[in-house]
Amino acid sequence: MAKETSVARRIQASRRLVRDGATADDVARAKGRLDGVFSAYPGIVAERSGSRALADGFVVTCVFGTGDLGRAAALAVDFIAGRVGASPSTDVDTTRVRCSATQFVQFQNSLYYASELQVGRRPNATLSEPPLPTLLGRALGAFAHHYDSARGEDGSIPQLGVWANALRAIDAEGTDQRQLGPRAVISKRVAEVVVSRLEKRRRVWVEAKAIPGRRGKAKVVHLTPVGRVARDAAARLVDTVQEDWRQRFGNDGIVQLRDALSSVVDRLPVELPHYATGYGAGDPSVTGGDYVLEDPGPPRIPAHGQDWPVVIREPGSAAAELPMSALLSQVLAAFAIDYERERLGHLSVVSNFLRFVGDDGVTLERAQALGGVSGNGKTLHERHLDVVVEPGRPSDKRRRVYLTPKGRRMRDAYPHLVTEIEQRWCEEYGDAVAAMRAALNAMNVQFDDDLPDYPDTNGWMHRLWFD
């Protein structure tokens, strides 16, 4: 494995800093890196910015350029200063941040996190046709849409994601909750959320049961009679939608697509979820980051969070027997893993949100619709410093939302990176990629225009409260 510090470990170090306070070495490193951070932050005039020590702390001076980049940089400095508890004061094009030693280190860390240093770079590129993950994502979204349309108001039939990622993985005699994640290939945290909500909906019940050779009692998840009916009804509906697709798109096209998808899935090193899902209810990444670094193998095991299950694909597993939705989901997840290993953002986030935000920003209303940005500083993209939001009343949806340098780098890398990965796939999977693209292109012109480029990976969990 590569000897490097993962993002998760750096976050843990930052949290320890909050608890324990900054050391002299921490301060020295922050001072040494600050000029480099200024230089990698478009909108900050590096040669006029800097820091100086005071008897009781530091003052960081940030001078901003003109235009949208300067405006966005000023907003980011104010937001970061507030988040670390420092005191900013603004005068025309300059903000001075008065802070303690610990706040100084935290401020530098956060500004680094929002800068161009946080992510890589790809050459500028344009897309002449829809990228492969968009075709896969729209197809999976269309399948889920047709499934939902077919189930209509019948509350006894669960969502496609609930069936694929939970109900189908529970045995007749019950399944240990700790094994539900590996069986469905969802993280431990997702499994806990789903079981809790399914229990409240009376589709499962949980038994505390002693297991020979294991300390304590296991939580064994059983389907209730209602849950069994729901599972079986969902499986039948998936078959119905698949048959409907043969009528809609033609048998030859569906056979071509299934063969191409199956060929790729059969060669994937690890199992992936049967319906695209994130690492957690608020985390859209497939595997949860890089707390555990990638193992190049073979088999190659992607970097992942502590709660993501690594399930090695069994030789001879028959992908051709899987539902269309499961094939689309696994191939899309595999593409997303390859995208996210480049540390240029989550494929779902860039596909559906960041690439639609120009340097002049978008309104908060638009950012909320595309990326769930609320303007309260607590949503995913605000916390991770992908964007900054103009201050104002919570009800004012006309406020502008700007990308940070990190967000702009992720946006700008997208066209080249999706093309680069597809080219690598052509080398690895051969003619299956071209066949997949051809079949998906033919279907895409018949899909609804309002389908997202990447399906909502976490909505199925949230809708469990009502479905």
Side-chain angles (χ1 to χ4, degrees):
M1 288 191 186
K3 297 289 186 180
E4 57 179 302
T5 303
S6 72
V7 173
R9 300 292 173 87
R10 293 199 296 270
I11 291 172
Q12 286 186 331
S14 180
R15 288 173 178 166
R16 284 196 297 271
L17 176 67
V18 175
R19 183 179 67 244
D20 302 332
T23 67
D25 287 343
D26 294 327
V27 172
R29 278 193 294 269
K31 290 176 66 177
R33 290 204 311 180
L34 191 57
D35 287 344
V37 174
F38 285 150
S39 297
Y41 208 109
I44 294 179
V45 183
E47 59 270 20
R48 296 174 57 197
S49 302
S51 65
R52 61 187 176 90
L54 302 175
D56 58 347
F58 291 85
V59 169
V60 180
T61 300
C62 301
V63 180
F64 307 106
T66 58
D68 293 320
L69 296 186
R71 172 66 173 154
L75 290 171
V77 166
D78 281 348
F79 176 76
I80 292 169
R83 189 158 79 169
V84 304
S87 301
S89 60
T90 301
D91 179 21
V92 191
D93 63 349
T94 303
T95 294
R96 293 177 176 84
V97 182
R98 189 182 181 100
C99 47
S100 68
T102 296
Q103 290 166 347
F104 173 71
V105 176
Q106 293 175 295
F107 178 87
Q108 181 273 323
N109 284 343
S110 293
L111 199 65
Y112 170 88
Y113 189 59
S115 76
E116 292 180 342
L117 296 173
Q118 178 59 28
V119 292
R121 183 194 290 273
R122 286 297 189 279
N124 291 335
T126 56
L127 293 169
S128 58
E129 58 184 346
L132 184 59
T134 291
L135 295 172
L136 290 163
R138 284 176 55 79
L140 181 58
F143 193 99
H145 174 71
H146 294 155
Y147 176 96
D148 282 339
S149 296
R151 76 184 181 116
E153 301 299 321
D154 189 347
S156 67
I157 304 179
Q159 300 169 67
L160 180 59
V162 175
W163 171 73
N165 289 341
L167 297 182
R168 71 165 185 87
I170 301 174
D171 287 335
E173 65 275 14
T175 297
D176 185 341
Q177 183 170 314
R178 297 202 304 188
Q179 293 304 312
L180 181 60
R183 289 174 68 93
V185 202
I186 56 176
S187 71
K188 175 183 175 183
R189 60 187 64 184
V190 169
E192 289 174 349
V193 168
V194 171
V195 168
S196 173
R197 294 181 184 178
L198 284 174
E199 190 175 20
K200 288 182 172 64
R201 302 298 294 171
R202 297 183 179 178
R203 284 179 171 160
V204 304
W205 63 281
V206 180
E207 174 190 18
K209 185 177 181 180
I211 302 293
R214 177 170 157 185
R215 296 179 61 184
K217 291 187 176 182
K219 292 182 178 179
V220 179
V221 182
H222 299 268
L223 290 171
T224 64
V226 172
R228 287 194 293 273
V229 169
R231 178 199 59 194
D232 296 343
R236 289 193 297 270
L237 189 54
V238 167
D239 290 339
T240 299
V241 175
Q242 291 188 124
E243 183 56 36
D244 178 56
W245 271 35
R246 292 185 185 277
Q247 301 300 319
R248 286 177 186 251
F249 305 116
N251 185 67
D252 290 347
I254 293 298
V255 169
Q256 177 182 340
L257 179 58
R258 287 191 64 89
D259 287 348
L261 293 169
S262 300
S263 177
V264 173
V265 170
D266 278 335
R267 296 172 62 183
L268 296 177
V270 296
E271 295 283 354
L272 295 169
H274 284 207
Y275 185 81
T277 190
Y279 181 67
D283 186 343
S285 66
V286 178
T287 63
D290 60 355
Y291 184 85
V292 179
L293 297 177
E294 177 182 311
D295 182 347
R300 178 165 71 89
I301 298 172
H304 56 277
Q306 286 181 301
D307 290 341
W308 193 74
V310 175
V311 183
I312 304 299
R313 188 173 297 276
E314 293 287 340
S317 58
E321 299 176 2
L322 296 176
M324 176 68 78
S325 53
L327 293 172
L328 288 166
S329 175
Q330 291 192 73
V331 175
L332 178 60
F335 198 103
I337 287 171
D338 282 358
Y339 190 100
E340 290 167 10
R341 74 194 294 245
E342 303 297 331
R343 296 185 178 178
L344 282 162
H346 305 314
L347 179 59
S348 60
V349 169
V350 183
S351 296
N352 288 344
F353 176 37
L354 299 184
R355 68 192 188 95
F356 297 106
V357 184
D359 287 349
D360 59 345
V362 295
T363 63
L364 178 57
E365 182 178 32
R366 177 71 170 154
Q368 194 163 37
L370 291 174
V373 177
S374 70
N376 64 4
K378 298 178 181 179
T379 54
L380 175 74
H381 301 300
E382 295 170 89
R383 288 186 291 106
H384 284 273
L385 295 171
D386 300 331
V387 302
V388 288
V389 185
E390 287 182 330
R393 299 188 310 275
S395 60
D396 185 1
K397 303 301 182 182
R398 297 170 298 175
R399 290 185 283 159
R400 301 296 289 179
V401 178
Y402 298 94
L403 297 179
T404 63
K406 178 178 72 166
R408 290 194 296 272
R409 275 279 183 92
M410 292 190 293
R411 175 199 66 191
D412 295 343
Y414 174 83
H416 187 277
L417 184 52
V418 291
T419 303
E420 175 186 310
I421 294 171
E422 184 170 347
Q423 289 172 347
R424 292 205 303 258
W425 275 32
C426 288
E427 296 173 4
E428 185 170 358
Y429 300 117
D431 294 341
V433 177
M436 186 192 311
R437 170 174 279 283
L440 289 169
N441 263 325
M443 297 168 65
N444 187 49
V445 297
Q446 299 185 55
F447 294 152
D448 293 341
D449 291 337
D450 59 354
L451 284 172
D453 287 355
Y454 199 100
D456 182 359
T457 57
N458 295 324
W460 65 275
M461 281 182 274
H462 299 308
R463 289 194 296 272
L464 265 172
W465 288 118
F466 314 104
D467 186 13

